[in-house]
Amino acid sequence: MTPKSVTTEQTHPRFIGAMSALPTPFSNGEVDLRSLAALVEWQIAEGINGLVACGTTGEAPTLSWHERIMVIRKTVASSNGRVPVIAGTGTNSTESTIAFTAAARDFGADAALIVTPYYNKPSQAGIVRHFETIAAKVDIPIIVYNVPARTGVDLTPATIEHLAAIPSIVGFKDATGDLSRPMAFAQRFADRFTWLSGHDATAFGFNTMGGSGTISVVSNVAPRLCVAMHDACRRGDPHAAREIHNRLRPLIAALELETNPVPVKHALYLMGKMASDVRLPLVEVEPNTASAISDNLSVLDAQARPSRALHSVRMAARAASNARHL
């Protein structure tokens, strides 16, 4: 299938701002589609700019083929066109990635988030061939996901130059935390790509130095604040954006104490949004992490009152603590 030529006018207005990298809820070892739909509804009601299903936060590597397809399909159906849905379809197999990407397109996903192949550690030429092959087979906008801490490979500027020749690649998610990248790449490629941060701790800096948004973990917990920060960046008000980011920083730090998505699932559990269950080899949070998350949710709750978004966090945290000591 020949890939469509996707213009920046079509993509930039859609893939910007705060976009939540959704966790996949589990109940008794199974995917909990009801909680997923409720989370999507709440995120949209809170003003989120977009949703990402089956990324790192969604525990995609431990989802079966059927589960991954179910999650993508449910997220698209629950969003119902109100916000763009980006489906995580990347694997370390080009053929499997093509299959997931085609399924996501058929279910109505607005774009595919495709990680550089992990574990295999391909050369830069192999990475280019990987994306060329996928783009030639599936006509959907592609956002390339660069997260060398998890994949073992990094994208060089020369590789990005090659990928710029593929029309359906419309953006990059950069989770390196290297703030020199958005400025350099935005200058080099102008409006060719949408540049998205994948690192909450540096998202403020990223989005004041050429970035267009963030695929975020913390926005699962505090979507309104994250949207407000990105709105401030877009309207050229770095002081307001910095103030919001500083409010979020302690919670971001707490959510980074253990491997994502273990902490954010615990936070959402305290908020009554889903169970905290994760799949092996991940395990639930340590007590110190749980305390840090609870404390920082309570601080945001106190700052945001009478907001109902974080209401009853203290009671949920106390109940969880009591349960652990029974």
Side-chain angles (χ1 to χ4, degrees):
M1 195 173 280
T2 303
K4 294 177 181 176
S5 178
V6 183
T7 67
T8 55
E9 287 77 11
Q10 292 172 310
T11 60
H12 280 212
R14 291 185 63 72
F15 307 133
I16 60 173
M19 293 177 279
S20 291
L22 298 173
T24 300
F26 298 122
S27 177
N28 298 317
E30 302 294 326
V31 173
D32 181 359
L33 293 178
R34 181 176 295 180
S35 291
L36 175 63
L39 180 63
V40 167
E41 195 64 38
W42 178 68
Q43 286 279 310
I44 293 173
E46 290 290 293
I48 203 68
N49 301 124
L51 299 167
V52 179
C54 295
T56 302
T57 310
E59 296 177 76
T62 56
L63 297 179
S64 69
W65 164 268
H66 177 63
E67 288 173 331
R68 198 162 178 173
I69 294 304
M70 279 199 312
V71 169
I72 292 170
R73 188 174 189 174
K74 188 67 172 180
T75 304
V76 171
S78 298
S79 174
N80 196 27
R82 290 175 291 173
V83 298
V85 173
I86 302 169
T89 61
T91 72
N92 66 338
S93 160
T94 304
E95 290 303 315
S96 293
T97 302
I98 289 168
F100 277 123
T101 305
R105 175 203 59 199
D106 293 346
F107 288 133
D110 296 281
L113 179 68
I114 301 180
V115 68
T116 55
Y118 45 86
Y119 188 77
N120 300 355
K121 297 186 74 174
S123 66
Q124 297 295 303
I127 293 171
V128 172
R129 287 281 299 278
H130 176 73
F131 283 100
E132 285 177 340
T133 303
I134 298 163
K137 296 283 188 179
V138 189
D139 56 337
I140 189 172
I142 293 170
I143 297 171
V144 177
Y145 180 14
N146 189 36
V147 56
R150 286 187 183 254
T151 63
V153 295
D154 195 2
L155 293 177
T156 67
T159 296
I160 295 174
E161 193 89 45
H162 285 296
L163 295 177
I166 303 173
S168 58
I169 294 181
V170 300
F172 284 83
K173 175 187 175 183
D174 188 290
T176 64
D178 180 354
L179 290 182
S180 67
R181 293 187 179 215
M183 179 174 288
F185 292 154
Q187 289 176 341
R188 171 64 188 85
F189 297 101
D191 294 329
R192 169 64 183 86
F193 298 119
T194 295
W195 297 101
L196 302 171
S197 171
H199 187 238
D200 282 318
T202 56
F204 161 69
F206 188 101
N207 283 285
T208 57
M209 296 172 67
S212 301
T214 304
I215 295 178
S216 172
V217 177
V218 72
S219 64
N220 283 291
V221 179
R224 282 190 185 274
L225 281 178
C226 291
V227 169
M229 188 193 79
H230 285 80
D231 286 348
C233 287
R234 285 205 302 278
R235 69 173 180 265
D237 188 351
H239 300 293
R242 182 184 297 109
E243 189 275 331
I244 297 168
H245 177 68
N246 285 338
R247 288 176 61 189
L248 288 168
R249 279 176 60 194
L251 178 59
I252 292 169
L255 296 180
E256 292 182 346
L257 289 173
E258 296 182 37
T259 301
N260 180 44
V262 175
V264 72
K265 278 194 160 182
H266 184 76
L268 289 168
Y269 160 68
L270 292 179
M271 296 170 66
K273 302 298 181 186
M274 65 172 64
S276 59
D277 302 25
V278 291
R279 279 193 172 163
L280 288 170
L282 299 180
V283 295
E284 294 193 27
V285 292
E286 296 290 332
N288 288 345
T289 303
S291 295
I293 293 167
S294 174
D295 290 347
N296 283 288
L297 286 178
S298 294
V299 169
L300 281 185
D301 185 28
Q303 292 172 344
R305 285 177 183 155
S307 169
R308 293 179 295 180
L310 298 174
H311 185 64
S312 75
V313 164
R314 285 195 182 92
M315 294 300 295
R318 186 176 297 118
S321 177
N322 291 340
R324 282 195 297 271
H325 291 92
L326 291 177

